[in-house]
Every structure is written in structure tokens, then in C-alpha cells.
Amino acid sequence: MPTTSKRIARGAAWLALPFAVALAYAQTEKHPVTEPEIRYQAGGSPLAAEDMHQDVNPKAPPMSKAEFDRARQVYFERCAGCHGVLRKGATGKPLTPDITLPKGTEYLKVFIKYGSPAGMPNWGTSGDLTDAEVDLMARYVQQTPPTPPEYGMADMKKTWKVLVPPEQRPKKKMNKYNIDNIFSTTLRDTGEVALIDGDTKKIINIVKTGYAVHISRLSASGRYLYVIGRDAKINLIDLWMEKPDNVAEIRIGLEARSVDTSKYKGFEDKYAIAGSYWPPQYTIMKGDTLEPLKIVATRGMTVDTQDFHPEPRVAAIVASHFKPEFVVNVKETGKILMVNYADINNLTVTEIGAARFLHDGGWDSTKRYFLVAANQSNKIAVVDAKAGKLTKLVDVDKIPHPGRGANFVHPKFGPVWATGHLGSEKIALIGTDPVKHKKNAWKVVQYLDGQGGGNLFIKTHPKSKNLWVDTPLNPDPKIAQSIAVFDINNLDKPAQVLPIGEWAKLGEGAKRIVQPEYNKAGNEVWFAVWSAKNQESALVVVDDKTRKLKAVIKDPRLITPTGHFNVYNTQHDIY
């Protein structure tokens, strides 16, 4: 986490650059990036561990195989999230040899070391990279970008394991847990999830999974829990077992973020779907075994310039309640795919053009309209799942990041869906009722002022009058370690700030507060207090009505807790 002194040093270092050099680069930057966004985008990629071929470019500065491999690792750990796997640009600029070779090594070293006012991190002056590593990376980005291996059906089947066949699983629930109130909590850096009894606040089991589990999703019946790691490993957990645990697993690619299951009547628990960042594709599987059935690539043309994009990553996937369809969001091309799974051998896909850099989103309260953030376009795309078409593109503030968003009835504007932003302190409230509140539908009816940028998740509950907003990526520790809560009945009143990190009573650590999540009853809100893997973390439970501390869950096994998902609320899309 960059400190204030580092940020000041970065600014001073930039001012010390030769004016002509600084001006030349600054003139190419039209979309300044906030520090919270840098922290979000520059996370490590599992592709750092993949072996890739070095294509020696005679025009590029020489690099040994050892240097190339080290630079490739640094790139995928630090840079690929912004600049893309193939360096063709995503939220950051392209870094292909046709652009980097004319700049030259010395020019590139300056900007890798010092960064830019528009958002390029100051990798050298921040201490993240040594001068030798800065030189290494300046030479690396002039080389031909290595391409990670593809990942097809044969590769998937090599990783597919059915640990407990369906016929050997329980015929009825074999434990006494209140399954509806179990929480699946990501233990990011250990490659595990903690299954926690929401009634007793005790850990039921620590389950081995993929690395840095991104989300947990439930089957339509609520029996099966699906979790997917950033390394594209999916684990299927049977909650009916005496001690809930893995019953199947598979790896559907080399990097991924999304998984969901069929929910339409007659298809409950039949299929699962997962989307990968690399290769850019989605995979449909059997719901009870994860056997891969069909792989569909997402490479194609962008919705705006109609240019070919070689690595359009699959972001959020949700299951429609109106048709046997999965809603698949393709990040770089800006397309929303309505994938009809009624006959997967003759797959029908409706392609909806939205806006580029689709990321995450959720249903409105009726579960007819899906609202998804096109975060780098600063828009929310609204899709009518019943009609199968785009309803509206809604302009919002800088870099919306809703998670699933939050639904509630505004005292003045009627039903709304809310999103926070990575790039600003604003919380946008979008009207979602085109029948009784038509004039308010599909536009921002109000902005609330939160603590600051760096929001990842926002949450409320049908039984609550509170709206909770986290800011774990804000560079100010005081803001990152607290939570803002608004009174839904009095939204003109400033948010109350609760010191969740302080309530956890931990020692040293970042103590970032992330992802408010309700229990089934809607009277408790759970927060992850996220510190480094060698520091103590915790979960904090707050009474929703009184906003007072109710419980702190500590355990040596709770290492880097981040996302957590209540079974009932996740199963029924309650947020």
C-alpha cells in the first residue's frame, strides 16, 4: 500500500523529469487513473507461473533466457491487469514493440521508474522495483510479447476429478447445520475457503480450493457451493455432507473470475458455467460433477470501433430467472451474451452490444433487469433478461464497481439499484421501476457522498434500512479500515462511519474492511478485516439495527479473508 510519503515522492520525482519528456508523455494521457484503480488493476495474475516461449526480436535490446523469464514474471504479477496478457492494452496503454521500440530503453526506464501523473505507478521510486528491475522491464516490453498456452477440452479433462460420485453422496442432509445461514469466506492467500456457521460463528471446515477465490455461488437448490479461484480452478462443495467438503474439481483455464449455475425451472442444478480471463472463453459443465461439456471462445470485434480484440476476458456471469439462459459479460469487447442452455449441442447465443470493459453487476429487485458496470466507460448497462435486449446505458461517475449492487426503495424515487465507484467517493442510485416510477427509470436519480474512492462492494437487505459501503482500496488507512453506512429513509443525512478495523482489536496490518454481507435473517452484517498473510485478520459482525459491534471472529486459520457469501442470500440473489 503506497504511503503518503511515497505519493509525495512520486510527485516530486515527476516534477524533476526533463520538461520535454514529461510533456510528451502527459500529452498521450487522456484518461487519468486514480490510485485506488491502480491498486485494483495491478494485482498479480496466475499466468506469472506459466512457461512461455521467448521469441527473440533482433531489433529489441538483448535479453538472456533467465532475464526474460524474470521480466515475464514481473509483468504478469504487476502489469498484465492494466496492459493485457498480450500487451495490446486494456485499461492501460498498449505496450507492443511497434510502440515501445521507437521509444527506446532510456525513455521507457524513466516512466517505469517515476510513473506519470495520469496513473502509471512509480514502480522504481516507490521501492517496488530496483533500478536493475526497471532496466529489465524497459528491455522486456520491447520484446515480442509471449503468448500463454491455449487451454482446451483435453487440458480440462486432465484436471477434472470427481472425488465423491453423485451416487455415493448423501440422499438427504446429514448434518445439523442451518445451511441457509452458512458463510463461504475466501481465504485469499492460502487457496481455501472457510465455511462458517452463521448461527454459532464457528468454523465448520476449511476447504482447499484454487488460489485467491474470486466468488462463491450456489446451485438453485442450495445444496452445492461452487467456488472459483483466479487460477481458474473450480471446486464443488456438497453442503449436505456430515462435514461439507469438496466432491469435484476442475481447472477451466489459466486465469478466471466467474462461475454460476442454471436456475431456470426444470434446469435446477443441471449445468454450471465458468468464464476465463485466459484463454478468453467460457465453459459449460455438468452441475453435479463439473464434467466439461462445451467450450465457447469470446475473441471478436469490439462494440465501438469494430476492431478485433484477441483477449476479451469473461467477467461476471449470472443465471437468468426468466429463460434457460446465462448472462455472460465480455469485458474488452463490451458484449453481453445471452447463452441459452436448453440445447447445448445446438447452442443459441444472443449478442447484445453494450459498452467496453464490462465487469460486475447484479439484478434489480424484480430479477428481470441485469445492471452491469462498464467500468472504464463510466457506464452501467441495463439488460432486460425477459425481452433479451439492452434497455439503457446509464452514465455514472468514474469507474463504477458495484459487486452485485444494492436494491432498496428510495423514499422519493421508488425502487433503485446502487453502485459505488473505484475512482470517486460517489454512490450512484439508479431508478429501476419502469412501470410505477417511469420518469425515474434507468437514470441516476441521486448521488450520495461516501468516504472516498476505492469502493469495491455495497450492500443492503430487504429487511434493513441501512446501506453499507466499503472502501478497502482507498490509500488513506483510516478510510480503508472503516465502513460508511447510510440511513435509507434519510439519504440527505451524511453517512455514519464505523471503525470496523479498530473494533477487531488486531495488531499490525492493513486491516482493510471489505465486502459487507448480511446473514439470512437480515439483522447482522459481516465484514472481512483483511491484513497480510503473515498478520492477524478477522471477521467482524455488526448488529444491523443498532450499528453496534456484535461479534469478532478470530482464528489462526482465517488468513487474508476477503470476499464472503451467505448461502441463502447468494442462492436467491438478495442484495
Side-chain angles (χ1 to χ4, degrees):
M1 181 182 296
T3 62
T4 301
S5 61
K6 285 181 179 178
R7 295 196 299 275
I8 293 171
R10 172 181 170 177
W14 176 259
L15 292 173
L17 289 176
F19 176 76
V21 177
L23 179 62
Y25 191 84
Q27 286 175 337
T28 70
E29 295 285 351
K30 297 179 181 179
H31 303 289
V33 183
T34 63
E35 185 169 346
E37 185 196 4
I38 294 168
R39 292 150 60 82
Y40 179 71
Q41 295 286 0
S45 164
L47 292 173
E50 295 295 330
D51 190 30
M52 298 182 202
H53 174 68
Q54 179 182 2
D55 182 5
V56 178
N57 185 339
K59 296 181 180 180
M63 295 190 80
S64 68
K65 178 68 164 60
E67 286 181 319
F68 182 87
D69 287 343
R70 171 57 185 152
R72 176 181 55 77
Q73 180 184 4
V74 171
Y75 179 82
F76 283 102
E77 287 177 347
R78 307 275 192 177
C79 318
C82 281
H83 297 287
V85 170
L86 303 178
R87 303 213 311 261
K88 290 183 178 291
T91 53
K93 289 185 171 297
L95 293 175
T96 45
D98 61 311
I99 296 171
T100 55
L101 278 170
K103 301 290 187 186
T105 302
E106 293 306 314
Y107 182 96
L108 293 167
K109 283 167 63 175
V110 167
F111 294 104
I112 294 170
K113 181 171 182 175
Y114 294 103
S116 83
M120 172 70 175
N122 56 322
W123 295 112
T125 56
S126 68
D128 290 295
L129 299 179
T130 65
D131 284 346
E133 288 172 324
V134 168
D135 176 77
L136 185 72
M137 296 310 296
R139 288 183 286 135
Y140 174 77
V141 296
Q142 297 175 73
Q143 310 291 325
T144 302
T147 302
E150 297 295 323
Y151 204 88
M153 185 63 76
D155 301 297
M156 291 184 194
K157 287 196 171 180
K158 288 177 184 177
T159 70
W160 173 47
K161 299 177 183 177
V162 180
L163 306 173
V164 183
E167 61 272 17
Q168 296 178 20
R169 296 174 196 167
K171 306 303 180 188
K172 61 180 181 179
K173 189 165 79 81
M174 300 300 292
N175 59 62
K176 295 182 179 179
Y177 300 115
N178 177 9
I179 287 179
D180 281 350
N181 204 33
I182 288 176
F183 287 76
S184 174
T185 297
T186 296
L187 305 180
R188 185 186 187 280
D189 293 333
T190 62
E192 298 169 323
V193 294
L195 301 180
I196 303 176
D197 185 336
D199 294 346
T200 66
K201 314 294 189 292
K202 302 294 184 183
I203 294 176
I204 297 169
N205 196 14
I206 302 290
V207 181
K208 285 291 182 184
T209 62
Y211 170 72
V213 164
H214 193 67
I215 57 171
S216 297
R217 291 291 180 258
L218 272 298
S219 65
S221 67
R223 172 177 182 172
Y224 290 115
L225 175 70
Y226 301 76
V227 298
I228 188 165
R230 291 194 173 207
D231 58 0
K233 183 179 180 182
I234 304 173
N235 288 81
L236 176 62
I237 299 169
D238 187 353
L239 298 178
W240 278 13
M241 296 171 68
E242 185 174 354
K243 187 176 184 180
D245 209 338
N246 284 318
V247 293
E249 62 181 46
I250 192 173
R251 195 176 182 197
I252 52 89
L254 300 178
E255 183 173 4
R257 296 292 189 277
S258 53
V259 67
D260 213 329
T261 68
S262 52
K263 292 184 177 178
Y264 188 67
K265 186 177 181 180
F267 292 89
E268 297 93 339
D269 296 19
K270 184 172 183 178
Y271 294 122
I273 183 173
S276 52
Y277 270 25
W278 188 270
Q281 59 196 31
Y282 59 88
T283 303
I284 298 175
M285 300 156 280
K286 283 188 177 179
D288 60 352
T289 65
L290 301 181
E291 178 184 356
L293 302 173
K294 194 172 191 69
I295 306 169
V296 183
T298 55
R299 292 178 171 100
M301 315 307 285
T302 60
V303 295
D304 46 10
T305 60
Q306 300 287 296
D307 290 324
F308 178 76
H309 201 292
E311 51 169 309
R313 298 173 284 184
V314 178
I317 298 176
V318 295
S320 172
H321 299 265
F322 282 87
K323 298 177 184 178
E325 288 183 336
F326 294 119
V327 185
V328 178
N329 295 273
V330 186
K331 186 183 286 281
E332 276 73 21
T333 56
K335 295 176 180 178
I336 300 171
L337 309 178
M338 311 297 284
V339 180
N340 190 302
Y341 52 76
D343 180 359
I344 66 168
N345 291 320
N346 299 283
L347 202 65
T348 302
V349 179
T350 300
E351 180 184 296
I352 299 172
R356 293 184 69 182
F357 305 110
L358 297 168
H359 188 64
D360 204 0
W363 296 106
D364 78 308
S365 59
T366 69
K367 300 179 178 62
R368 173 174 175 171
Y369 297 94
F370 180 67
L371 296 94
V372 58
N375 51 23
Q376 290 299 320
S377 299
N378 301 330
K379 297 179 186 296
I380 298 293
V382 183
V383 171
D384 184 341
K386 185 177 181 179
K389 63 181 182 180
L390 182 72
T391 297
K392 189 73 178 291
L393 288 174
V394 183
D395 291 318
V396 291
D397 215 63
K398 189 171 174 60
I399 314 151
H401 191 286
R404 285 294 183 102
N407 289 299
F408 61 92
V409 178
H410 192 289
K412 181 178 179 182
F413 301 110
V416 297
W417 178 90
T419 180
H421 299 78
L422 272 166
S424 85
E425 78 285 357
K426 298 295 183 182
I427 296 109
L429 308 184
I430 297 172
T432 60
D433 181 5
V435 178
K436 295 182 179 179
H437 299 81
K438 187 175 181 179
K439 67 177 182 179
N440 299 327
W442 318 130
K443 64 181 180 181
V444 176
V445 295
Q446 186 177 358
Y447 279 111
L448 308 178
D449 288 328
Q451 291 197 82
N455 165 248
L456 289 183
F457 298 101
I458 185 168
K459 193 62 67 80
T460 188
H461 189 277
K463 296 180 180 178
S464 173
K465 296 301 180 184
N466 290 323
L467 177 68
W468 304 84
V469 184
D470 69 14
T471 40
L473 296 187
N474 194 285
D476 185 336
K478 185 176 181 180
I479 294 175
Q481 294 176 11
S482 58
I483 196 83
V485 53
F486 292 87
D487 180 351
I488 288 172
N489 289 330
N490 189 1
L491 290 169
D492 293 328
K493 182 180 177 182
Q496 181 182 5
V497 176
L498 302 181
I500 305 295
E502 180 181 316
W503 287 354
K505 296 190 182 301
L506 302 173
E508 292 294 318
K511 296 186 284 288
R512 289 168 287 193
I513 309 306
V514 63
Q515 194 158 348
E517 177 76 351
Y518 277 85
N519 63 345
K520 180 190 175 183
N523 57 16
E524 293 178 353
V525 191
W526 291 43
F527 302 92
V529 186
W530 172 25
S531 287
K533 61 183 177 181
N534 60 345
Q535 296 169 324
E536 188 180 24
S537 293
L539 299 175
V540 168
V541 182
V542 175
D543 185 290
D544 181 69
K545 185 175 182 180
T546 65
R547 302 182 181 178
K548 302 294 184 183
L549 176 65
K550 189 169 184 178
V552 177
I553 304 172
K554 294 183 180 180
D555 190 291
R557 297 171 291 174
L558 290 178
I559 298 170
T560 57
T562 51
H564 44 175
F565 304 85
N566 175 267
V567 164
Y568 185 85
N569 294 335
T570 305
Q571 175 189 356
H572 295 280
D573 291 314
I574 296 172
Y575 34 80

